């Protein structure tokens, strides 16, 4: 049996097992996806132990995404982002990848959003915001990053090509001419709140919220009311799993089956 899994703490509410197991079922694979909660001090031993046991691949989530970079060979994208959410054990040394960035880009592309040449506004400069900033920039967008702590947005913008850093008070100006808005803050999660004033949204925007609990966040409801195109946080979650599955197996993922399993849990 092929074993895959997730390293994090806590991981009890993760949707990843359902999404990946749907893919194994669809392809009739003799595989399973388990969750592991090592203590932070045991992270290196956990990764080395997984390699020794023949585990094929691990996802990595909070609080290990940054620390894991010390114990794997980073690909170029994960190296620039400075965080890993996928480890591949196929080779002499485990390799680390960032499919959050790939997932965000594929979620936008799935909805026919053209990023090359687009003016994008990214709200949030935390872990997910960092990955998405590089993804948008790599795809050819101009990335205007707005964050509650402005210095964090400015710092990130110095690392990302074609990016600028701002405080949230610049959002109205930034959004006037933007085509893409991504919320990468945790605002809207488990609360009916939005980081973006509703009156700054308009019909020429595509708005992606990466918060997926709830799916229809206040931001997405405000955007829909102003006839903007909306993309919920389930799409990035789906496509980061799709990218991990494809890296581990070398096969094109059964996206529809994985999406059905995800939607059965979160809709
Ligand atoms: P993080 O590193 O803790 O960053 C949190 C971000 O939210 C920071 O930019 C922070 O601003 C901002 N923020 C928090 N509270 C705020 C408030 N009251 N007003 C304005 N801004 C606020 O977290 P993360 O790992 O990036 O995750 C962020 C969200 O993305 C979470 O909801 C997570 O579940 C979601 N996520 C979704 C996916 C997916 O696949 N859909 C993947 C990863 C993460 P400051 O810098 O000022 O603190």
């Amino acid at each position: 049996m092929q074993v895959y899994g997730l390293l994090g703490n806590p991981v009890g509410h993760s949707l990843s097992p359902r999404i990946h197991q749907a893919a194994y079922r669809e392809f009739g694979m003799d595989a399973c996806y388990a969750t592991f909660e090592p203590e932070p001090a045991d992270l290196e031993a956990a990764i080395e132990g997984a390699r020794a046991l023949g585990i094929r691949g691990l996802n990595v989530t909070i609080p290990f995404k940054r620390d894991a970079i010390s114990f794997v060979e980073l690909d170029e994208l994960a190296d620039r982002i400075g965080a890993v959410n996928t480890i591949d054990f196929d080779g002499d040394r485990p390799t680390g990848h960032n499919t959050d960035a790939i997932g965000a880009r594929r979620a936008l592309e799935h909805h026919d959003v053209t990023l090359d040449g687009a003016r994008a506004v990214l709200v949030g400069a935390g872990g997910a915001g960092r990955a998405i900033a590089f993804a948008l920039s790599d795809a050819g967008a101009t990335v205007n990053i707005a964050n509650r702590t402005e210095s964090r947005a400015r710092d990130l913008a110095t690392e990302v090509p074609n990016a600028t850093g701002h405080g949230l008070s610049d959002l109205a100006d930034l959004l006037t001419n933007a085509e893409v808005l991504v919320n990468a803050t945790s605002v809207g999660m488990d609360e009916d709140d939005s980081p973006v004033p509703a009156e700054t949204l308009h019909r020429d925007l595509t708005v992606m919220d990466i918060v997926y609990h709830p799916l229809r966040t206040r931001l997405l409801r405000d955007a829909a009311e102003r006839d903007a195109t909306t993309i919920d946080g389930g799409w990035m979650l789906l496509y980061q799993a799709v990218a991990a599955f494809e890296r581990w197996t070398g096969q094109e993922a059964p996206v529809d089956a994985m999406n059905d399993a995800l939607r059965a849990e979160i809709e």
Side-chain angles (χ1 to χ4, degrees), residues 62 65 100 124-129 147-149 152 168 184-187 189 195 210-212 233-234 236-237 240:
I62 290 167
K65 286 186 185 185
D100 283 335
N147 194 49
R148 177 178 62 178
T149 309
R152 224 174 158 193
L168 295 180
T185 74
S186 47
V187 179
M189 187 168 69
I210 73 162
V211 169
Y212 54 85
M236 175 173 162
L237 187 63
Q240 62 76 30

Side-chain angles (χ1 to χ4, degrees), residues 10-55:
V11 291
H13 295 294
S14 172
L15 297 165
S16 293
R18 305 250 179 196
I19 305 172
H20 283 277
Q21 277 158 2
Y24 308 153
R25 259 197 316 280
E26 182 73 10
F27 284 169
M29 290 167 63
D30 184 20
C32 72
Y33 188 102
T35 57
F36 303 101
E37 288 187 353
E39 291 301 318
D42 291 330
L43 180 61
E44 182 175 11
I47 293 171
E48 176 51 27
R51 188 200 62 74
L53 291 171
I55 287 178

Side-chain angles (χ1 to χ4, degrees), residues 135-248:
L136 293 171
S137 172
D138 284 0
T142 303
V143 193
N144 298 124
I145 307 163
N147 194 49
R148 177 178 62 178
T149 309
E150 184 173 344
S151 58
R152 224 174 158 193
R154 289 187 180 279
D155 288 349
L156 177 56
T158 63
E159 293 181 59
V160 177
N162 297 319
T164 61
H166 306 264
L168 295 180
S169 58
D170 286 352
L171 271 174
D173 282 347
L174 295 173
L175 284 169
T176 306
N177 294 315
E179 290 105 20
V180 178
L181 166 65
V182 179
N183 174 38
T185 74
S186 47
V187 179
M189 187 168 69
D190 299 319
E191 69 196 352
D192 195 32
D193 206 355
S194 167
V196 182
E199 63 275 12
T200 63
L201 303 169
H202 53 80
R203 61 184 310 144
D204 298 328
L205 268 179
T206 295
V207 181
M208 181 163 86
D209 199 336
I210 73 162
V211 169
Y212 54 85
H213 193 271
L215 266 190
R216 299 305 295 171
T217 57
R218 170 93 169 262
L219 170 61
L220 292 187
R221 285 186 279 118
D222 287 346
E225 265 177 32
R226 280 157 187 79
D227 295 327
T229 302
T230 61
I231 303 173
D232 69 49
W235 291 102
M236 175 173 162
L237 187 63
L238 170 69
Y239 275 107
Q240 62 76 30
V242 163
F245 178 92
E246 291 180 346
R247 170 156 295 284
W248 291 331

Side-chain angles (χ1 to χ4, degrees), residues 78-157:
D79 189 28
R80 276 189 289 144
I81 296 169
V84 154
N85 81 324
T86 299
I87 299 176
D88 188 356
F89 292 96
D90 182 23
D92 296 339
R93 189 155 188 247
T95 54
H97 311 273
N98 194 307
T99 71
D100 283 335
I102 299 165
R105 181 171 171 170
R106 284 182 70 173
L108 289 160
E109 288 171 352
H110 174 95
H111 290 84
D112 297 323
V113 178
T114 303
L115 290 172
D116 195 11
R119 283 161 298 207
V121 175
L122 171 65
V123 192
R130 209 180 145 75
I132 295 169
F134 282 100
L136 293 171
S137 172
D138 284 0
T142 303
V143 193
N144 298 124
I145 307 163
N147 194 49
R148 177 178 62 178
T149 309
E150 184 173 344
S151 58
R152 224 174 158 193
R154 289 187 180 279
D155 288 349
L156 177 56

